Every structure is written in structure tokens, then in C-alpha cells.
């Protein structure tokens, strides 16, 4: 069945990012980094907004309810009512947190970068259930989309400015990188950004500046490209009760108003793929 692409959420987000399916209430949570917002779109297509004082790179669900956020200064935890629970400050300007995901053991991984993406100032961090933030990998540039293989033995990390997707050997029980990285995928004309992993272990990578989402098999072979009607797709995730609809966020920042769909969220159906459920942060 051929893929079909529609606008799921018509919105001119400055930098929409990080969608995920919240099975607890049947909604999609995503963020607008530059707009400093966390957004929740329900089954009726209505979007509720939580404004935040800092840029929000990503959001993830907590096992106790509420959200954990990767923000400019580090991490913020919100309770189920959306109120501030905890704040963990670890970064100073010109640094900020970028994309983030929860690993199979319930720990939160986030990439940090300089606002101008200067080489070597980025890093990969891990927030444990006790809210201890640990530096795992220094000397990166713009660590971005993260994901794990279905069995948890590989960690995938996008280095956007280098235009590569990296693969690390990973211990899912200990939440430890064992070896790597190796380059899994490269050759992008734009900039690889956020990613999703499906139940077959295939990676789906949004290409900022390329107007597309790319599918790669677990060995890194390019399977297909799906074009979306805007220049700056940012991230993607499988949503819905069956996790069979691919939602793709995008960014309007820097684009001409003639790009009328910039900042919207798109839905891709007919891929034949099924996503993996989001993990819950244990903190």
C-alpha cells in the first residue's frame, strides 16, 4: 500500500520536535523548542499547550505520572497536573539540552549542544531514577535523535552537523554504552534530526532541510524515502493505539511564509511499519 501524507496538526511551530504516543490518555506529546512549549494533541486533534520559561528540547513520560523535560539548563520534572516538581541544572549558556529519550531501563538520555553548534561543545547525558545527571559522552557537536534496537542491545544517536547516524553497543539492563560508535547511515543532503525505531529494528530519520523521512534497515541499508510537504522535518514517531501511524514534526523558523505547512505535524500512513512503545522514566 502506498504511503499517504496528511497534515495532522496545522500549526506554525518555530521548531516542533520529539513526538511520542502517550497510551495512558491516547494523545501525542511533542514540543516546540524555540517556542518554549510542551504540546499535547488529543484524539480530536485539539492541542493543549504548557508554556515553559526555558527552551524545551524534548519531553518524556514519567512512571509516576507527569513529564520529564530536557531544557536549556538541564532537566525539569513536572507532576501529573503539569506543575513543577524538580529542576536539575547542569548547563550554562551558550549550552542547552536538545533531543532526549528514555532507555529500556527507564533512564533518560539527552544530548546537549552549543546554541551555535560549535564543534566539540556537545555531550550525551544520562539522568538516573535518583535524579543524578551523569556525563556519558563529551566532545560531540549536535547530538540529536536517539533510539534503541527492539532488544535494547544497540543505541542509535544522530550527530546532525556531521550528517551521520551512529550505532553503539549497549547494555539495556545497566544502561551502559559498551562499545562504538560506528557509522550506521550517512550521505544525507540535508541534516538528519530526530528518529524512531520500529518493531523490525528499522530506523526512521527525519531530514531537516531535506523535506523527507528516510527508512534504514538495522544494517544501515537505505530502504526508502518519504517526502513531506515542508523543507524542515525535525523528528518522527509511531503513534496511535496500534503504533502504525508515523507523525512527523517540523520547524517554521527561518522559512518563508510561502512554505504554508512549515511548523505543522504530518501523519504518514501505509508504511507497513509498527513502532515500539515509549519507555517511562522511573524518576
Amino acid at each position: 500500500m502506498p504511503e499517504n501524507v496528511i497534515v495532522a496538526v496545522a500549526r506554525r511551530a518555530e521548531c516542533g520536535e520529539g513526538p511520542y504516543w502517550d497510551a495512558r490518555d491516547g494523545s501525542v506529546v511533542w514540543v516546540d523548542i524555540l517556542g518554549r512549549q510542551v504540546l499535547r494533541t488529543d484524539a480530536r486533534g485539539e492541542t493543549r499547550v504548557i508554556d515553559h520559561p526555558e527552551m524545551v528540547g524534548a519531553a518524556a513520560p514519567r512512571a509516576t505520572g507527569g513529564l520529564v523535560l530536557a531544557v536549556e539548563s538541564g532537566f525539569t520534572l513536572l507532576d501529573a497536573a503539569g506543575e513543577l516538581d524538580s529542576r536539575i541544572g547542569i548547563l550554562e549558556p551558550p549550552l542547552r539540552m536538545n533531543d532526549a529519550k528514555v532507555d529500556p531501563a527507564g533512564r533518560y538520555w539527552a544530548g546537549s549542544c552549543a546554541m551555535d553548534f560549535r564543534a566539540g561543545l556537545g555531550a550525551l547525558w544520562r539522568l538516573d531514577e535518583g535524579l543524578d545527571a551523569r556525563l556519558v559522552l563529551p566532545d560531540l557537536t549536535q547530538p540529536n535523535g536517539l533510539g534503541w534496537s527492539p532488544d535494547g542491545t544497540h543505541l542509535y544517536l544522530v550527530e546532525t552537523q556531521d550528517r551521520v547516524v551512529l550505532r553503539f553497543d549497549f547494555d539495556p539492563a545497566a544502561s551502559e554504552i559498551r562499545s562504538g560508535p560506528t557509522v550506521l547511515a550517512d550521505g544525507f543532503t540535508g541534516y538528519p534530526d530526530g528518529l524512531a525505531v520500529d518493531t523490525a529494528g528499522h530506523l526512521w530519520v527525519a531530514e531537516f532541510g531535506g523535506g523527507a523521512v528516510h527508512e534504514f534497515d538495522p544494517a544501515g541499508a537505505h530502504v526508502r524515502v518519504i517526502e513531506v510537504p515542508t523543507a524542515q522535518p525535525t523528528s518522527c514517531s509511531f503513534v496511535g493505539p496500534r503504533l502504525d501511524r508515523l507523525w512527523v514534526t517540523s520547524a517554521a523558523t527561518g522559512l518563508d511564509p510561502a512554505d504554508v505547512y512549515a511548523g505543522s505535524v504530518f501523519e504518514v500512513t501505509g508504511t507497513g511499519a509498527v513502532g515500539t512503545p515509549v519507555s517511562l522514566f522511573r524518576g
Side-chain angles (χ1 to χ4, degrees):
M1 183 170 65
E3 305 94 0
N4 182 54
V5 182
I6 64 170
V7 175
V9 183
R11 190 180 187 91
R12 202 163 180 86
E14 293 184 63
C15 188
E17 262 284 3
Y20 73 84
W21 173 250
D22 191 337
R24 293 178 290 192
D25 67 356
S27 67
V28 180
V29 178
W30 51 294
V31 304
D32 184 345
I33 297 177
L34 300 179
R36 303 184 178 194
Q37 295 176 329
V38 180
L39 305 101
R40 185 182 292 271
T41 302
D42 64 23
R44 299 182 301 275
E46 297 178 0
T47 299
R48 180 167 61 91
V49 176
I50 300 175
D51 292 309
H52 197 273
E54 299 182 83
M55 285 192 288
V56 184
R62 299 172 65 188
T64 56
L67 300 171
V68 56
L69 310 178
V71 300
E72 280 180 72
S73 62
F75 302 99
T76 296
L77 279 74
L78 305 180
D79 65 19
E83 300 298 323
L84 178 66
D85 190 341
S86 302
R87 180 181 288 116
I88 302 97
I90 55 175
L91 300 177
E92 297 287 344
L95 303 178
R96 68 169 177 88
M97 284 296 180
N98 196 33
D99 207 350
K101 289 261 179 70
V102 179
D103 73 14
R107 299 178 178 107
Y108 196 43
W109 292 69
S112 64
C113 62
M115 289 294 296
D116 63 357
F117 309 133
R118 267 179 286 168
L121 294 187
L124 185 63
W125 299 80
R126 191 185 81 183
L127 183 68
D128 294 337
E129 53 268 43
L131 306 188
D132 175 47
R134 189 181 69 146
L135 175 63
V136 178
L137 290 177
D139 304 320
L140 302 175
T141 297
Q142 190 188 359
N144 218 320
L146 296 105
W148 284 265
S149 58
D151 65 1
T153 61
H154 290 104
L155 163 67
Y156 304 109
L157 176 67
V158 171
E159 258 283 37
T160 292
Q161 296 301 312
D162 291 341
R163 306 190 193 208
V164 297
V165 181
L166 304 174
R167 179 175 60 195
F168 299 82
D169 292 334
F170 192 79
D171 182 334
S175 294
E176 296 283 353
I177 292 173
R178 291 307 188 195
S179 66
T182 58
V183 174
L184 180 73
D186 57 9
F188 296 92
T189 56
Y191 293 92
D193 200 332
L195 65 79
V197 181
D198 68 24
T199 54
H202 288 215
L203 279 70
W204 299 75
V205 182
E207 186 182 22
F208 186 96
V213 175
H214 297 267
E215 180 188 2
F216 298 90
D217 73 12
H222 190 263
V223 177
R224 63 178 140 177
V225 58
I226 301 172
E227 295 182 355
V228 295
T230 190
Q232 296 178 164
T234 54
S235 190
C236 57
S237 180
F238 288 93
V239 307
R242 300 183 185 88
L243 296 177
D244 59 353
R245 296 182 279 135
L246 186 70
W247 274 33
V248 183
T249 51
S250 68
T253 185
L255 292 182
D256 190 283
D259 189 335
V260 296
Y261 296 121
S264 293
V265 183
F266 304 92
E267 178 178 291
V268 184
T269 54
T271 65
V274 174
T276 54
V278 65
S279 297
L280 305 179
F281 177 57
R282 299 192 321 200

